[in-house]
């Protein structure tokens, strides 16, 4: 059985084709810069070299068409007919509070997704375009939607509500939703396997630290709280996003600078120009920041310390919320690859039973592993995330359940 996972962004379509009997990737790639003259298609399949070429694609439908034709290429393709694809899994950023689990696409589901456009205008319309493109190019093949928000739907109302007048929740859907749910879900299950206990008997804090970052407190397999909010802007310091700030800064900026009368200018400031980039003035990329810290750059050091401090603060808060934890998991680009971030985040948390083994932490590896001391009460783990595989599994499961 083969499952195609697609992730449609504003100007890109990313895909992975899985063979589900061994859960291995067969082919994967991305069409980027859709609608622009510099559009290109980069792809790879098992046993073949990575290829990249310029392409002309005006929209998501043309991008999906290009991908399907390539997958079915007589000489280099991975499938002979579209019927080999049992189901298509779509990554969907925002399911609002309409979708608490993955669903098979129907007309009603598509309408429901459209109703979530207003709370995720940067993502959901593109996902919707992708769903239509797949329907057109793969007629008769079922599609499943897997939501980044769904895993967080177990959060209690007192944790997801903002203390604004209640009608803002009722009329505008303003509440915490949380993101990266597929990743938190995946790594929490891997962690349970590594600890040899069911997820339903464990308390853990999962740290997805990438360009966008979020922390989740998970008790007995259910999310109790997470750091991202109504949008992915809330929470820890990120590559170019500010994370938590005093909301009164917004009206203050609007009063002080008339450019900020335009909400888009504020969105750009908070989402694209802040975080590591805003503080360091150098980059939102942690690799550049780490190098600059080594070279003695003071602002890079400040940015690095702010990010680590904000993660540590969430871990400490969630430790209290969960009344103790069995493990902390680090995942995503920074979480998997930056020993210095992990070390700084876990430093001086012995009072909570969190003790890192520095030499294990520094050992380069791309495998899932423990980086805590043997005697550490709380286990510290590094687990590479695999959102695509999680989407493929969910899609297979939803298909099996009809
Ligand atoms: P996205 O949120 O876009 O999926 P990723 O999970 O790929 O992002 O994470 C990207 C981040 O991971 C970048 O800040 C990048 O610098 C960081 N990163 C990747 N490799 C390393 C490394 N070896 N050391 C430090 N940071 C790294």
């Amino acid at each position: 059985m083969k499952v195609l996972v697609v992730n449609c962004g504003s100007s890109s379509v990313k895909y992975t084709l899985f063979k589900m009997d061994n859960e291995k990737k067969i082919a994967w790639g991305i069409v980027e810069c859709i609608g622009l003259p510099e559009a290109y298609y980069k792809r790879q399949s098992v046993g073949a070299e990575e290829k990249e070429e310029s392409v002309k694609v005006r929209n998501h439908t043309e991008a999906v068409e290009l991908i399907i034709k390539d997958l079915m290429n007589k000489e280099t393709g991975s499938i002979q007919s579209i019927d080999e694809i049992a189901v298509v899994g779509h990554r969907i950023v925002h399911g609002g509070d309409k979708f608490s689990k993955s669903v098979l696409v129907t007309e009603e589901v598509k309408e429901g997704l459209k109703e979530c456009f207003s709370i995720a205008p940067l993502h959901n319309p593109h996902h919707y375009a992708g769903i239509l493109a797949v329907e057109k190019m793969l007629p008769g093949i079922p599609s499943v939607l897997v939501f980044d928000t769904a895993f967080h739907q177990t959060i209690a109302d007192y944790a997801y509500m903002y203390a604004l007048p209640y009608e803002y929740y009722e009329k505008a859907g303003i509440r915490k939703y949380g993101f990266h749910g597929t990743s938190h879900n995946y790594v929490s299950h891997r962690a349970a396997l590594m600890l040899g206990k069911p997820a339903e008997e464990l308390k853990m804090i999962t740290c997805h630290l990438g360009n966008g970052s979020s922390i989740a407190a998970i008790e007995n397999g259910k999310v109790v709280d997470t750091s991202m909010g109504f949008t992915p802007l809330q929470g820890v310091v990120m590559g170019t996003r500010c994370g938590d700030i005093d909301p009164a800064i917004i009206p203050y900026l609007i009063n002080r600078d008339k450019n900020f009368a335009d909400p888009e200018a504020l969105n750009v400031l908070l989402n694209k120009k802040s975080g590591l980039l805003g503080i360091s003035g150098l980059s939102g990329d942690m690799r550049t920041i780490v190098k600059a810290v080594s070279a003695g750059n003071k602002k890079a050091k400040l940015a690095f310390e702010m990010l680590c401090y904000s993660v540590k603060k969430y871990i400490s808060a969630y430790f209290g919320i969960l009344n103790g934890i069995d493990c902390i998991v680090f995942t995503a680009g920074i979480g998997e690859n930056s020993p210095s971030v992990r070390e700084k985040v876990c430093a001086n948390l012995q009072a909570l039973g969190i003790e890192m083994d520095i030499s294990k932490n520094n050992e380069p590896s791309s495998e899932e592993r423990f980086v805590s001391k043997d005697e550490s009460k709380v286990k510290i783990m590094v687990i590479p995330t695999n959102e695509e595989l999680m989407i493929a599994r969910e899609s297979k499961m939803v298909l099996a359940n009809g």
Side-chain angles (χ1 to χ4, degrees), residues 180 208-212 276 284-288 290 332-334 337-339 387:
H180 295 140
H208 178 110
L209 308 179
N211 284 316
L276 294 178
D285 190 299
M286 185 52 99
R287 283 165 290 204
T288 310
V290 169
I334 298 173
N337 300 303
S338 177
E387 288 159 290

Side-chain angles (χ1 to χ4, degrees), residues 151-186:
F151 190 50
H152 301 300
Q153 282 289 306
T154 48
I155 297 176
D157 51 5
Y158 54 79
Y160 71 63
M161 286 297 291
Y162 294 111
L164 294 167
Y166 197 79
E167 68 204 62
Y168 286 82
Y169 166 63
E170 284 181 307
K171 293 188 183 143
I174 296 176
R175 53 158 281 187
K176 179 191 282 271
Y177 290 102
F179 299 87
H180 295 140
T182 311
S183 176
H184 290 292
N185 190 358
Y186 177 80

Side-chain angles (χ1 to χ4, degrees), residues 72-118:
M72 293 208 301
N73 183 299
K74 283 215 167 62
E75 275 134 43
T76 59
S78 306
I79 51 171
Q80 282 164 5
S81 132
I82 60 166
D83 297 328
E84 284 180 48
I85 300 172
V87 58
V88 181
H90 295 260
R91 181 202 174 201
I92 308 291
V93 166
H94 216 315
D97 46 15
K98 267 194 178 353
F99 299 104
S100 58
K101 55 185 195 291
S102 308
V103 287
L104 202 62
V105 173
T106 59
E107 287 309 312
E108 196 186 336
V109 164
K110 284 196 285 185
E111 280 312 303
L113 185 65
K114 268 189 177 169
E115 285 167 32
C116 300
F117 277 10
S118 61

Side-chain angles (χ1 to χ4, degrees), residues 187-188 191-192 202-206 216-219 322 325-327 329:
V187 297
S188 65
L202 290 165
K203 294 194 275 189
M204 55 178 93
I205 297 174
T206 49
I218 306 174
E219 182 169 20
L322 295 174
I325 52 172
D326 297 289
C327 67
V329 179

